[in-house]
Amino acid sequence: MTADATTIDPAHSGEFKHADTVAIQTFGFWIYLMSDLVLFSTIFATFAVIGHNYAGGPTGKDLFDLPYTFVETMFLLFSSVTYGMAVLAMYKGKKNSVLAWLGVTFLLGLGFICMEVNEFYHMILGGNGPQRSGFLSAFFTLVGTHGAHVTFGLIWMVTMVGQVVIKGLTVPVQSRLMRLSMFWHFLDIVWIGVFTIVYLRGIL
C-alpha cells in the first residue's frame, strides 16, 4: 500500500469534521426541543385540569376577542412562511435575500408579541390577572411561556442577522439558521394548540 493511498486530504478531513459537528449539534437541539415539548405538554395538562376553575370570575367568553387573536395568529403563521423563504434563499446563497426575509419574519414575530402584551395588559388592568382564578393562572402561564419563547426566538434572530452580515453564509451560520428554523416552526405548532384549546374552546 502506497503512502498516497493512506493519506487523508486535509480539506476533506475538515469537511467531515464540519459535518460531524453539525450532526451532533442538530441532534442535541432535537433533544432540547423534545424537553420543551414535555414542558408545554405539562402546562397544557395543567390548563386542562384547572382551566374551568373560574372562582366566580370571568370565563374565556368574557375575556377573549377571537378576531383579535386570529390576527395575532396570522402574524405568527405568516412569520413561519417568511422564515421558510429565508431558508430557501440561504440554500441559493443569496445573502441579501436571507437578511430581508429574516427582517420580515422579525417584524411579524414582534407584532405577535406586541399584540400578546397588549392583551395581557388590558386583562390585568381590568382586574383579571393570573391571581384571579385557576383558569387565569393557567392561561397566563401557558400563553406567557409561549410568548417568552417567541421573545427568545426574536433575540436569536437578531443575533443571526448580525452573524450573516459579519460572517456570511458559512456552514456554521447555515447550521444555526436551520436550528432557529426548527425552533420557530415548533413555536408555530405549539401556538396552533394554544389557539385551538385555549381560545376556540374557551369561546365555544
Side-chain angles (χ1 to χ4, degrees):
M1 184 178 289
T2 65
D4 288 341
T6 58
T7 301
I8 298 176
D9 186 342
H12 288 173
S13 176
E15 289 177 7
F16 291 141
K17 188 178 293 185
H18 263 310
D20 288 343
T21 301
V22 169
I24 292 170
Q25 290 173 340
T26 302
F27 177 71
F29 197 74
W30 271 112
I31 293 176
Y32 159 72
L33 285 182
M34 293 305 100
S35 69
D36 237 14
L37 181 61
V38 172
L39 170 65
F40 277 108
S41 297
T42 303
I43 303 175
F44 271 113
T46 302
F47 184 87
V49 171
I50 67 174
H52 295 289
N53 295 337
Y54 303 115
T59 67
K61 289 183 179 180
D62 302 318
L63 296 174
F64 299 154
D65 182 350
L66 196 56
Y68 181 91
T69 309
F70 180 76
V71 172
E72 184 181 1
T73 300
M74 289 300 101
F75 273 17
L76 194 61
L77 294 184
F78 275 115
S79 76
S80 191
V81 174
T82 56
Y83 198 102
M85 298 302 294
V87 170
L88 290 177
M90 179 192 75
Y91 284 137
K92 295 177 182 178
K94 297 181 178 179
K95 176 180 173 180
N96 290 337
S97 293
V98 170
L99 293 172
W101 284 115
L102 286 178
V104 174
T105 304
F106 177 86
L107 291 176
L108 289 170
L110 183 62
F112 172 85
I113 287 296
C114 288
M115 291 186 73
E116 188 170 283
V117 169
N118 181 62
E119 180 184 33
F120 282 6
Y121 171 76
H122 283 95
M123 282 187 178
I124 294 172
L125 195 65
N128 299 310
Q131 76 285 352
R132 180 67 180 81
S133 65
F135 159 66
L136 285 169
S137 293
F139 168 79
F140 275 93
T141 300
L142 177 55
V143 179
T145 300
H146 178 270
H149 278 70
V150 174
T151 301
F152 173 76
L154 292 175
I155 296 171
W156 188 358
M157 205 172 297
V158 170
T159 303
M160 290 313 305
V161 166
Q163 290 196 11
V164 172
V165 169
I166 296 171
K167 299 180 180 180
L169 297 175
T170 61
V171 172
V173 170
Q174 289 189 41
S175 174
R176 292 172 198 134
L177 284 170
M178 287 307 301
R179 290 196 292 278
L180 176 54
S181 174
M182 292 162 57
F183 181 73
W184 200 254
H185 294 314
F186 169 75
L187 294 180
D188 274 0
I189 294 171
V190 172
W191 181 255
I192 290 173
V194 173
F195 181 73
T196 303
I197 294 172
V198 176
Y199 289 95
L200 285 182
R201 288 188 61 187
I203 289 178
L204 297 178

